[in-house]
Amino acid sequence: MDSGIGQFIPLILIFVIFYFFLIRPQQKKVKEHKAMVENLSRGDKVVTSAGIIGTVERIIDNEKVEVQIADNVKVEIIKSTGIQGLLNSPEVKK
């Protein structure tokens, strides 16, 4: 019986290593991305998943935002899949 359990120890060890080095960091990254997307506001500079840099003009609903990518060029982007990252938030002017 002990030899049977002993054979599974390396498999369990590999799973623990995978969890702490691959699965857990990925879950943390997904959670941070979701929080960033939920906190988008007008004036934020963002990078789309296509690599286009633009400024959030308005939040259409919980799913979409309107991003200005050039003068008089605005596109609607799905927040969860289309926004890759936040470049910076606008400074608060006094």
Side-chain angles (χ1 to χ4, degrees), residues 6-80:
Q7 291 175 347
F8 287 108
I9 290 176
L11 287 172
I12 294 169
L13 186 62
I14 289 171
F15 178 76
V16 169
I17 290 170
F18 267 95
Y19 177 77
F20 282 107
F21 287 111
L22 295 175
I23 299 170
R24 193 164 174 231
Q26 182 64 27
Q27 288 174 341
K28 184 178 178 184
K29 191 174 182 180
V30 166
K31 189 176 181 180
E32 289 172 354
H33 182 263
K34 184 177 179 182
M36 181 268 303
V37 166
E38 287 175 356
N39 292 322
L40 281 177
S41 61
R42 187 173 193 268
D44 286 347
K45 287 193 76 137
V46 294
V47 178
T48 68
S49 57
I52 299 170
I53 297 173
T55 305
V56 175
E57 284 297 310
R58 69 182 173 118
I59 310 296
I60 297 172
D61 55 25
N62 287 337
E63 296 293 319
K64 295 184 276 184
V65 293
E66 184 176 78
V67 177
Q68 181 174 349
I69 57 175
D71 290 337
N72 298 322
V73 180
K74 296 177 183 177
V75 293
E76 286 184 13
I77 298 177
I78 297 174
K79 287 166 59 170
S80 60

